[in-house]
Every structure is written in C-alpha cells, then in structure tokens.
Amino acid sequence: MNIVVLAAGQGKRMRSELPKVLHPLAGRALLGHVLACARSLAPQRLVVVVGHGAEQVRAAVSGDDIRWVMQDPQLGTGHALAQALPELDDSVPTLVLYGDVPLTRVGTLARLLKAAAPAALGLLTVELADPSGYGRIVREQGAIARIVEHRDADERLRAITEVNTGILVAPTPALRRWLAALSNENAQGEYYLTDIVAAAVGEGMKIASAQPEDEWETLGVNSKTQLAELERICQRNVAAALMDAGVTLADPARIDVRGELHCGRDVAIDVNCVFEGEVRLANGASVGANCVLRDCTVGEGTEIKPFTHIDGATIGASASIGPYARLRPGTELADETHVGNFVEMKKTRMGAGSKANHLAYVGDAVIGERVNIGAGTITCNYDGVNKYQTVIEDDAFIGSDSQLVAPVRVGKGATLGAGTTLTSDAPADKLTLSRAPQVTLERWKRPQKGGKKH
Ligand code: UD1
Ligand code: CA
C-alpha cells in the first residue's frame, strides 16, 4: 500500500517553537512513532506531508524511504492529502495516518485494511464518552453515510458518540477523483478530507470501518497536557510489557523508558529510574532507586545502587556501582569491579576486580586488574588544551588524595603513598610518594582571642 502521514499542521496549542510532530514521547518524536508503525506495514510508498517547520522536521527525521511533500499554505486535511497524490502508486490502496497520533497499534491498522479490502473506503472510528471537537460518524440504517465536523454539526449530530479518528484507507484512483472535487464551503473554510466519505457513498460504495482495542490508540496530541497524558499511557504500556517479560518493577508507575530497555531474567528495578537510548540489563542485574541510565550495558548480577548516573558505559558481571556514581561515555568496567560514591569516570577502562570506592575523578585512564584507587584520587588529564592518558597496571595501589598528572604510568604492583602528586612514572613493585617532610614547630603557640597583637 501507499502510506501518507499528515504532518503539516502548526500545533498552535503546543505554544512552542518546535514543530508539533517533533515533540518527544517516550524519548522519540511523535512523528518517529508514527513512522515506526507505518514501516512495520512495509508500504510500497511512504509519504510525509510537511508544512509548518518543514525543514526542521525533515532534518530531525531520518529515512531514505520517505518521500517528502510540501503543503504550503495549509488549507485542511483534504488539501494536505491532495499534495501527496503525485507520489502515490494507483495499483495499491492508500492508508492515511496523522503525525500527531502516535500510539496506534499495527494490529489495529491491519484490521482496518482487512475490513476495507479489496476496494472499499475504510475508516477507523471510535466511541468516545466525550466526542466534542471530533468529526462525527453519521450512520443511516447502520451504514456510514458521511462525517460531519464538530463545528459544522447541530445539536442532534453532536450527540453522536462515534467519531472519526482521521485514520482511513481508500482505493487510490478513487481518492484522486474525490479529492479533486472537494470544496471548502464549511465552518472553517478548509478542504476537509472527511468529505470524501459522502462522495464515496454518492458513488454507491460501501464504507467499511474498524475500531481500535483501546481508546488511547487514536488519541492525538494538541497540547502539552495531552502530550503528558499520552506519555503516561505509553510508560504504563512499557512497564506492563517489562513485567510480562519477568522484570520486577518496584512500582510500574514510577519508571520512565525513553528508548529501548532490554532485560534478561530476574532483573529488578527500584522506583524513579529513567532509561534513555538503548540500555541492556543482563540476568540478575538490579538498579536502585533514582538512577538515570543511558546507552549502556550492565552485566549479569551487577548491582547499580541508588542515585547513579550512567551514560555510554559498559559494565561487566558481578560489579557494584554507586550509590552516587557517575559513569561517562567510554567507560568500560570489567567483571567484579567496584565504583563507589562520588566517583566520576570518563573514557576509562578498568580491569577485573579493580576498585575506586570513594570520591575520585578518573578520566582517560587504562587501569589493570585488582587495582585499588584510594579516596580523593584525581587523574589530571587536561592541561587546558590537550588530554592525556594515565595508565595504572595490575595490582597497583593508589594512596588516597593522589593526583596523577598525565601522561603518566604506574607500574605493576606499585604503591603510591597518600597525597602523592605523580608527575613521572612510578616503577613496578615500589613505593613512590611525593610529600613535603612533616615538621612539628615546638615553640609555636596558637594566637589567643583578646591576646597581644604582634
Ligand atoms: C480531523 C478530522 C476530524 C477528526 C480529527 C481526529 C478533518 C476535516 N477532520 O480534525 O474528523 O475527528 O481529525 O483527530 O479531517 N494537517 C495537515 N495540513 C492541514 C491540516 C491538517 O497536514 O492543512 C494535519 C495535521 O498536522 C494533523 C492532521 O492533519 O496531523 C489533523 O489535523 P487537525 O487540524 O488536527 O484536524 P482536526 O480539526 O482535529
Ligand atoms: Ca486534531
């Protein structure tokens, strides 16, 4: 089939500089959700009609498979679809989706396509407790006769609770005919796509319809309030899917997945965690409360303790991270590593069994196995212009409050005394320290309040 996504509208009620269809839902643009759904139907042609913020929309959404069509000015949904006609293949039907209706299930669309096959006009309709604002489905002896927009409807028609979701499928040659004949004589002075229904009925065509399983599949976003409502629905669905797959969630209402979260067996996630991009949690991994994990992999049985922030890191099995750890891009921690509170790591590889348990900055470093990094250790990796690497070999012990001025190397089994400022390499198996000799001033007296001034 052809699929046309209408996305030219301004979305005034969002009160934003960002085009409406680019507002994120679960970390992905509204239009991105619609395109993902469209692609899973494997259309022959995928057309997106843009207008408001067209350049921004095109730049933000990727895909060589998309045929972009410009609608300027925006004269209504019928006018929008008419702009796409030159891109459509007449030998297959055309499915129309909206760029601001992001949560429609593929199965629902498949049912609509089936109901309309082989050559009928098919509408996705839904019963709403409060239908106001929507186009009403007018039926005569059960058969759909036309759609009347809310603003063009009288009291009697406004009482109808079956509404047009906007999603429809039509035989393409017929669509050309009907769109060419549209007029804009209505309350909004627009070319209504919905008027093709009366045209089809006039030709004696039967109008098919299908309904979604859930009302939220047809909800659109017109305001920040509706966006937030859809976000909650979306997150509730994600949480349900995770639990169905065996993940333990301390509270399904307090998890946010803004991307893809892949979990092994027996994964446990405490409250208020945010997952962004692509996150993988292996079997038995656990994530404590209030963590933010983005584009990372967490190995089997590893424990991420509360208030930890991870971005672009890979963590091995049986490791312990946090509480209050920050792992930045390029961090690779091997199995059984420990990274404790207030430790920041960036572009650092740390070998199996190594530990940095408290208060440290470790950047641009290669650390071997069984290394102990004492509290307050800092790799001085930046001279204001360039960044340099620190290498710490297996079994080294870095005393507390040491500064390693890169580029520098600590040899295998070396020990640095506490407070060392290391400016040249520390040899293997030796104690190296840089420390002003300790003195005691025997005759020194602490000044007294009210005492004599010198
Ligand atoms: C439309 C339907 C209405 C239906 C409702 C469902 C028409 C005339 N009415 O009304 O029956 O109940 O959707 O939400 O179709 N768009 C363009 N170009 C335009 C106008 C709109 O691309 O010139 C796009 C918008 O970006 C949006 C979609 O079409 O994605 C719907 O437009 P909108 O103005 O929200 O239509 P409604 O008035 O809500
Ligand atoms: Ca709308």
Side-chain angles (χ1 to χ4, degrees), residues 128 130-136 148-150 163-165 218-220:
L128 292 183
D130 175 15
S132 62
Y134 289 89
R136 304 301 203 280
V148 179
E149 288 305 297
H150 181 90
V163 306
N164 174 33
T165 64
T218 63
L219 296 179

Side-chain angles (χ1 to χ4, degrees), residues 82-429:
Q83 308 314 301
L85 289 174
E87 300 293 337
L88 304 183
D89 176 351
D90 271 7
S91 68
V92 286
T94 296
L95 174 67
V96 179
L97 303 177
Y98 283 8
D100 57 359
V101 179
L103 296 181
T104 319
R105 284 196 183 100
V106 181
T108 298
L109 297 177
R111 274 209 316 284
L112 174 65
L113 294 169
K114 199 169 159 220
L121 172 59
L123 305 177
L124 187 69
T125 74
V126 65
E127 289 280 346
L128 292 183
D130 175 15
S132 62
Y134 289 89
R136 304 301 203 280
I137 304 293
V138 182
R139 290 184 184 260
E140 285 165 6
Q141 280 107 45
I144 294 175
R146 60 203 157 98
I147 297 176
V148 179
E149 288 305 297
H150 181 90
R151 287 169 69 175
D152 298 292
D154 58 21
E155 282 308 306
R156 188 180 57 88
L157 292 176
R158 283 185 182 182
I160 296 172
T161 52
E162 186 185 7
V163 306
N164 174 33
T165 64
I167 293 169
L168 59 81
V169 59
T172 306
L175 206 52
R176 290 185 197 281
R177 234 169 26 241
W178 301 329
L179 289 176
L182 286 186
S183 96
N184 63 351
E185 283 158 30
N186 50 53
Q188 303 184 72
E190 287 183 2
Y191 294 92
Y192 290 167
L193 174 55
T194 45
D195 286 347
I196 67 170
V197 176
V201 171
E203 291 181 3
M205 186 182 276
K206 164 186 167 285
I207 314 297
S209 74
Q211 286 71 38
E213 254 169 71
D214 290 292
E215 199 180 294
W216 49 256
E217 292 184 62
T218 63
L219 296 179
V221 174
N222 297 300
S223 65
K224 289 289 172 74
T225 303
Q226 288 173 339
L227 182 62
E229 285 164 2
L230 278 200
E231 180 75 30
R232 282 309 100 208
I233 290 164
C234 199
Q235 294 301 342
R236 194 188 63 203
N237 293 345
V238 171
L242 287 170
M243 292 187 294
D244 281 348
V247 177
T248 300
L249 299 180
D251 182 355
R254 283 184 288 168
I255 176 172
D256 286 88
V257 180
R258 301 174 190 153
E260 283 174 49
L261 174 59
H262 306 277
C263 295
R265 289 180 85 80
D266 297 305
V267 165
I269 300 171
D270 210 333
V271 298
N272 296 332
C273 292
V274 178
F275 299 89
E276 297 178 332
E278 203 172 325
V279 174
R280 289 175 188 278
L281 306 177
N283 295 346
S286 66
V287 183
N290 301 298
C291 291
V292 178
L293 274 65
R294 177 195 183 103
D295 294 323
C296 63
T297 299
V298 175
E300 208 165 313
T302 286
E303 189 181 359
I304 310 293
K305 293 177 179 163
F307 295 98
T308 289
H309 191 283
I310 302 176
D311 181 9
T314 303
I315 303 160
S318 305
S320 170
I321 313 295
Y324 296 100
R326 180 172 182 212
L327 305 182
R328 292 170 51 202
T331 299
E332 289 174 36
L333 306 179
D335 297 349
E336 292 175 31
T337 45
H338 288 196
V339 175
N341 40 258
F342 307 108
V343 173
E344 175 182 351
M345 286 196 166
K346 186 213 79 171
K347 247 196 205 170
T348 286
R349 266 191 355 248
M350 191 158 91
S354 289
K355 297 176 182 170
N357 271 329
H358 337 262
L359 300 158
Y361 172 66
V362 185
D364 302 305
V366 178
I367 300 169
E369 300 183 351
R370 298 171 304 278
V371 167
N372 196 314
I373 303 216
T377 297
I378 290 174
T379 53
C380 307
N381 59 330
Y382 185 50
D383 63 6
V385 181
N386 296 304
K387 301 232 163 106
Y388 302 95
Q389 200 176 52
T390 299
V391 177
I392 303 174
E393 296 181 355
D394 293 349
D395 300 297
F397 181 99
I398 311 297
S400 297
D401 196 27
S402 293
Q403 302 101 54
L404 296 99
V405 183
V408 74
R409 173 181 290 264
V410 177
K412 211 165 176 316
T415 301
L416 296 195
T420 292
T421 301
L422 193 71
T423 51
S424 52
D425 294 357
D429 298 318

Side-chain angles (χ1 to χ4, degrees), residues 25-49:
L25 178 77
R28 180 192 231 176
L30 292 172
L31 182 57
H33 286 268
V34 179
L35 291 174
C37 175
R39 285 180 177 127
S40 61
L41 289 165
Q44 272 95 332
R45 309 244 173 123
L46 177 55
V47 185
V48 181
V49 182

Side-chain angles (χ1 to χ4, degrees), residues 12-30:
K12 263 198 209 111
R13 282 191 283 153
M14 297 298 277
R15 300 191 187 282
S16 167
E17 294 302 310
L18 191 66
K20 176 160 81 174
V21 293
L22 293 186
H23 282 266
L25 178 77
R28 180 192 231 176
L30 292 172

